[in-house]
Amino acid sequence: VGVLWAGLGPLLLREVLFSLPKFLVFTSASTSLGSALQLLAPFLPYNFADTVAASLGVSLIAGAVAGVAGALVSSPADLLLTKQQSGGSGGSSSSDGGGGGDGQTSGEEGDPFAGIFAGVGVRCIFFAASISVQFLLYDYFRTLLGVAPADLMEGLDVFADRLSFYE
């Protein structure tokens, strides 16, 4: 049973290293792009900045930027996890992109950090595409169902039932 859970720690670390920059960069990029659209609104035709197409475009572009950020931050952890699961063998495998045409290899036996960004170009393209589609679909269905961004904010007040605490 211990073997079953042996890779959980590194897997969770890799997922956290991917998810944190993904959501942080998406939020920052979508806010910046939305502000830029509002600044350009007088120059755009028929109030384009307030349309569903503009909102979906912001989600698509911000999602692509977020995917690239997540791929860049998590690439070393993903490569090390892949090497650990494959028995620590050197060289490139199909899961790390095989070098990805970056000019880097995952080569030298003595250097554990050799090729740590191997395949990062392929990962950036893949995650830019997949994460942008993920956020595009999220924004599309959120708009389709009429859910406002403010509706998604939920606060939990653990002291709400203790009125004397607020007095």
Side-chain angles (χ1 to χ4, degrees):
V1 174
V3 176
L4 180 64
W5 299 102
L8 183 63
L11 182 66
L12 287 176
L13 178 65
R14 182 187 69 179
E15 290 302 317
V16 167
L17 286 175
F18 181 78
S19 297
L20 283 176
K22 177 180 82 169
F23 287 114
L24 289 174
V25 170
F26 176 78
T27 303
S28 299
S30 60
T31 303
S32 299
L33 288 170
S35 298
L37 267 178
Q38 292 302 323
L39 288 174
L40 294 173
F43 307 108
L44 296 173
Y46 65 89
N47 203 11
F48 177 75
D50 294 329
T51 63
V52 174
S55 174
L56 294 177
V58 165
S59 291
L60 188 68
I61 294 169
V65 173
V68 168
L72 288 173
V73 171
S74 69
S75 184
D78 191 40
L79 184 66
L80 292 174
L81 181 64
T82 301
K83 283 186 177 185
Q84 177 190 14
Q85 289 177 345
S86 66
S89 62
S92 60
S93 68
S94 61
S95 63
D96 69 2
D102 300 301
Q104 296 188 11
T105 60
S106 54
E108 298 179 24
E109 293 291 325
D111 187 9
F113 298 108
I116 197 136
F117 284 101
V120 76
V122 174
R123 285 177 53 85
C124 285
I125 292 169
F126 172 75
F127 285 117
S130 64
I131 300 303
S132 64
V133 169
Q134 172 189 354
F135 281 116
L136 176 77
L137 290 173
Y138 164 77
D139 198 34
Y140 173 74
F141 283 109
R142 185 184 58 79
T143 304
L144 183 71
L145 297 173
V147 178
D151 294 337
L152 298 174
M153 300 295 172
E154 183 66 34
L156 175 64
D157 190 357
V158 294
F159 298 111
D161 61 341
R162 295 176 176 35
L163 297 176
S164 63
F165 180 77
Y166 292 110
E167 295 175 357

